[in-house]
Amino acid sequence: MNHSDTKETAGFITVSSSGMILDFSYHLLQITGLSAIHILDQPLDLFLLQTTWERLQAQPTGTLTLLNPEMTWIEFHYQIHETRLANQKTFQITLKPKDEERQPASFTSLDNDWLLMNKIFAHDLREPLRKILLYIDMIRGNTQNQITAESRMLLQVTNDQSYQALQLLDSIRQYTSFATNEKRTLKSIDLNEMVEKSWLRVSDENGLNTTVLEKTQLPVIKGQRTMIQTLFYQLFDNSAKFAHPSRPLQIRIEAELHSQSVEIRILDNGIGFDDRYKEDIFRLFNQLNRNSPGYGAGLAFCKKIVESHRGKIVAHSIPQKGTVLTITLPLHSR
């Protein structure tokens, strides 16, 4: 891998003529949160938002948005140069963050503490775990190693525990990024587009039919695109995780417009919960059922995102019947 990045650039991605990722800079992975194991030999289109490799080829300079597995993204200025790799025609995409789109940040001392924690979670703690997983794969993949059945089982347990710790760190990192008071660029957001993109990912990950979701027309609001899309992804993912085992999942979105705000209701027919825990479900890493999937972070993310947009979120549920999550968001920035 080439490490010739400079401070002025986020590095590069090298792709084949067909758009398969052949090489990339380590600095790029640090900035985007992408993982080398997930990006190498994958189609570039998997990580592009609202464009394709074919369109980029037709316009060798401009802006693009890279999407990471957590449904967050970063905008870049790019330039494409034709190169050769192993006698094969390739293209190197040089990237530079589009920093001018962000408003100047105004941090408090607490915000700086959060940002320091976020850096530690994002790299200082994450990197050793990533290396542990890599070394385990190397040991297990080396056929010359004489590994007993018991040792192989212990390696698998170590692998699983390390991966869970890595996921937990990623959850904490994402939560701290929502907790800061950094001023973000607010833009007009079509909520219909956010719902469609988020539902497409959730339905694909869970093997759900697109007809599971029923929605009414949603308005345009002022907000931060990354966070709003994460909001809907987490809401749909939560409904999918807690679907009732004895009936097909159904999710419905309703919207009610007011003069200055919109009230959005997400209703599902999942397993529900006792309504006395309606405040607890929004607490970070608080799981009503320890055997449930995930870490109890999804709805805590949702609460932080909604509050950062000067809104509110409440829940009501009936066990074995379903849950209603009601979100109120301002239509315009204040």
Side-chain angles (χ1 to χ4, degrees):
M1 188 183 300
N2 192 325
H3 296 276
S4 61
D5 300 314
T6 66
K7 293 182 180 179
E8 288 76 25
T9 177
F12 66 86
I13 302 176
T14 302
V15 298
S16 66
S17 298
S18 62
M20 299 298 289
I21 298 173
L22 304 174
D23 193 13
F24 44 81
S25 59
Y26 180 67
H27 189 39
L28 174 74
L29 301 187
Q30 289 183 302
I31 289 178
T32 60
L34 290 166
S35 167
I37 197 171
H38 291 131
I39 191 173
L40 191 63
D41 297 325
Q42 295 296 317
L44 178 64
D45 285 357
L46 286 179
F47 309 98
L48 293 175
L49 183 70
Q50 296 179 330
T51 191
T52 63
W53 166 235
E54 185 177 1
R55 293 176 187 169
L56 292 181
Q57 281 183 289
Q59 186 177 353
T61 61
T63 61
L64 62 80
T65 305
L66 288 180
L67 182 70
N68 71 15
E70 299 169 356
M71 289 296 287
T72 59
W73 55 74
I74 299 178
E75 291 183 296
F76 295 95
H77 294 291
Y78 75 87
Q79 284 188 321
I80 301 177
H81 306 279
E82 186 176 325
T83 58
R84 297 197 72 82
L85 183 65
N87 295 321
Q88 175 187 356
K89 180 180 177 181
T90 59
F91 296 88
Q92 188 175 92
I93 307 172
T94 305
L95 299 162
K96 182 178 179 181
K98 194 179 174 185
D99 292 329
E100 61 269 21
E101 291 297 323
R102 299 177 64 85
Q103 295 178 355
S106 175
F107 297 115
T108 65
S109 176
L110 179 59
D111 290 329
N112 286 325
D113 289 342
W114 278 115
L115 290 171
L116 176 60
M117 288 175 61
N118 203 27
K119 178 210 174 273
I120 293 171
F121 294 139
H123 184 265
D124 298 9
L125 293 177
R126 197 178 191 279
E127 188 63 15
L129 284 169
R130 188 193 67 78
K131 287 181 178 176
I132 289 171
L133 289 167
L134 176 63
Y135 296 153
I136 290 173
D137 282 345
M138 292 172 64
I139 294 171
R140 293 164 66 190
N142 188 343
T143 56
Q144 296 184 13
N145 286 337
Q146 299 299 315
I147 304 177
T148 65
E150 182 181 6
S151 295
R152 191 171 293 278
M153 182 270 291
L154 291 173
L155 279 172
Q156 183 62 53
V157 171
T158 305
N159 181 86
D160 294 345
Q161 293 292 321
S162 299
Y163 184 68
Q164 289 178 19
L166 199 60
Q167 289 182 307
L168 185 60
L169 281 175
D170 285 342
S171 295
I172 296 172
R173 179 174 66 86
Q174 191 171 8
Y175 185 82
T176 58
S177 73
F178 295 150
T180 64
N181 290 323
E182 179 187 0
K183 292 182 179 179
R184 295 177 169 88
T185 301
L186 301 182
K187 297 182 179 180
S188 294
I189 301 173
D190 185 346
L191 293 181
N192 298 285
E193 179 189 350
M194 298 295 98
V195 165
E196 183 179 346
K197 288 180 181 294
S198 300
W199 174 243
L200 186 63
R201 180 185 172 194
V202 172
S203 59
D204 183 62
E205 290 176 348
N206 294 276
L208 298 172
N209 192 297
T210 54
T211 59
V212 168
L213 177 66
E214 175 188 345
K215 74 177 186 70
T216 56
Q217 188 69 16
L218 299 172
V220 172
I221 68 166
K222 285 285 187 179
Q224 211 280 334
R225 294 181 64 89
T226 304
M227 299 176 78
I228 293 297
Q229 188 157 347
T230 301
L231 169 66
F232 282 110
Y233 169 78
Q234 294 292 349
L235 291 171
F236 294 149
D237 187 58
N238 189 72
S239 292
K241 283 178 179 175
F242 298 102
H244 200 285
S246 64
R247 58 176 175 259
L249 175 65
Q250 287 294 319
I251 306 172
R252 188 170 78 255
I253 299 182
E254 301 174 348
E256 184 177 341
L257 279 172
H258 302 283
S259 59
Q260 298 294 324
S261 64
V262 58
E263 184 177 283
I264 304 167
R265 291 180 293 276
I266 296 93
L267 307 89
D268 67 45
N269 65 342
I271 60 173
F273 58 87
D274 191 318
D275 212 44
R276 62 182 169 171
Y277 299 118
K278 63 184 180 181
E279 300 292 337
D280 296 337
I281 65 170
F282 295 110
R283 292 177 183 153
L284 186 62
F285 305 136
N286 186 70
Q287 293 176 288
L288 301 184
N289 181 353
R290 290 296 176 184
N291 296 319
S292 61
Y295 296 98
L299 290 179
F301 290 166
C302 293
K303 188 172 189 291
K304 281 296 180 187
I305 292 170
V306 171
E307 288 177 346
S308 73
H309 284 74
R310 300 181 183 273
K312 64 178 182 179
I313 180 170
V314 295
H316 293 288
S317 188
I318 301 175
Q320 305 305 316
K321 296 292 184 181
T323 301
V324 180
L325 290 162
T326 304
I327 300 167
T328 304
L329 292 170
L331 291 172
H332 312 287
S333 58
R334 290 181 283 175

